[in-house]
Each structure stands twice: as C-alpha cells, then as structure tokens.
Amino acid sequence: MKPFCEENLKHNMHQLVFEVLRESLEEAKEGFCTKIEVSFLPDGKVKICDNGRGLPLSKDLHASKEVLDKILAGKPITNIEYSQMGDLMQSGMQTVNSLCESLHITVNRKGRQFQQDYIRGIAQHDIHMSDSMDKSGTEIILKPDTAIFGEIAFSKEVIYKWLKENSADIASLTINLCGGV
C-alpha cells in the first residue's frame, strides 16, 4: 500500500487535470485545436476548455450516451482502492472521472451542444442536447474527490509548467490560465 502523504496526493490530483489536457493537446497536434483554457474555480474545481472538434456525439442520444459511457463512465473509488492504484499518469478518463467528486462535460459539435454531469464516475441524468452556435470543442469542469485528496489546492505553476513542456512543439496553440495561485 502506498503512503497517503500530501506530495503523492498532490501529484496524483494534478494527474487528473493532465489527463484531460492530454486529450486537448492531441486535438492540437492533429491540427484541430488552436486554443486551450484552464480556469481555477472556487471550491477546488478546475475548468478545461478547448476549441477542438468535440467528442464524436450526434443527434442519436443513445449512440452519444454509449460514446460518453465508453470514454467517461466509471465507478466510485474508495480510499483503499485508491491506495492500491499507484501513479495515475495516463490512467484514462474513466479513472479521472471516478476520482472526481463531480465532473461536468459540455461538448459542442456540428451545431449541437451536449451536456452530462457525473458524480464519482456515475452519470446523473440523460444527456442534455440543444442547438449551439458554430462553436466546437469540449469543456470539462472537475472537482477531485475530497474524500481521497482532501482539501489540497491545484497549483497554477505546476499546471503551467506541465503545459509548457507538453505543448512546446505545437506552434499554433494558444494556452490561457485564469484564476488560481
């Protein structure tokens, strides 16, 4: 069992954000995303937005639910399960979602907007779909599970440094960090 020291918790909590950012950076590397914004919100939440293509969702809500379930659906993770997980580097979006007290996703794609809310990896309602402007991209607002991570705050400096290292080869990408310390 790994010790629950604050440094391990802080490292793994930042890995949750890095995993979401990896998806946005992939879109940028493929030429579909030119802007990523990370906002530090009250109550320990972080919002990550990009102007990429957005997840492949459609008017067929059943098919869209299957896509979101495949990518995001998880299950609550206990402290004991977490202690046996090891490093969360490249753990996948299902693990990220399962380690979040709450996660809200908004996808804009092909004139439609799709929204879903999760608590500890479990969808809270059917997908909400509405018309959207000519906007595209994905927005995720997440709050790490305080039952696992406690009240540790995200570090703007740590996230900035990681983004700078991982986006250095993407010339056309603009990155903004808002709020936070």
Side-chain angles (χ1 to χ4, degrees):
M1 241 159 123
K2 74 179 175 210
F4 269 43
C5 76
E6 187 169 322
E7 281 308 307
N8 285 347
L9 290 172
K10 191 171 196 169
H11 168 79
N12 279 340
M13 189 178 78
H14 282 83
Q15 291 299 322
L16 302 178
V17 172
F18 299 158
E19 189 64 32
V20 175
L21 288 169
R22 274 187 197 92
E23 300 295 323
S24 296
L25 290 175
E26 278 303 311
E27 282 283 281
K29 286 176 184 173
E30 293 175 17
F32 297 107
C33 173
T34 59
K35 183 177 178 185
I36 298 173
E37 185 171 293
V38 180
S39 303
F40 301 88
L41 306 174
D43 199 26
K45 294 180 181 178
V46 170
K47 177 170 71 171
I48 299 143
C49 303
D50 70 41
N51 68 344
R53 293 173 287 186
L55 295 172
L57 305 180
S58 69
K59 289 190 283 188
D60 180 346
L61 290 180
H62 178 72
S64 293
K65 180 186 180 322
E66 286 183 15
V67 169
L68 283 181
D69 284 351
K70 183 175 183 175
I71 295 169
L72 286 172
K75 67 177 191 71
I77 293 177
T78 66
N79 280 336
I80 293 170
E81 290 168 323
Y82 171 74
S83 70
Q84 297 169 354
M85 290 177 75
D87 194 347
L88 296 181
M89 188 181 292
Q90 296 190 343
S91 58
M93 288 301 298
Q94 289 180 341
T95 301
V96 168
N97 195 8
S98 294
L99 288 169
C100 286
E101 202 166 287
S102 64
L103 185 143
H104 174 83
I105 184 167
T106 301
V107 176
N108 291 292
R109 184 176 174 102
K110 296 183 178 178
R112 303 252 183 239
Q113 183 175 80
F114 305 87
Q115 295 183 330
Q116 181 63 282
D117 293 289
Y118 296 87
I119 294 178
R120 294 182 173 92
I122 299 171
Q124 297 301 296
H125 50 74
D126 291 334
I127 296 172
H128 294 246
M129 183 181 71
S130 60
D131 291 334
S132 131
M133 300 300 206
D134 288 335
K135 191 174 169 182
S136 70
T138 303
E139 173 186 286
I140 292 179
I141 301 173
L142 64 85
K143 178 178 181 169
D145 193 337
T146 53
I148 292 172
F149 297 104
E151 297 298 328
I152 298 171
F154 283 107
S155 165
K156 186 176 186 177
E157 182 182 326
V158 168
I159 292 172
Y160 174 77
K161 181 181 174 190
W162 186 91
L163 273 167
K164 190 173 179 180
E165 289 170 2
N166 287 276
S167 67
D169 60 338
I170 311 170
S172 62
L173 182 64
T174 301
I175 297 172
N176 294 317
L177 274 71
C178 309
V181 202

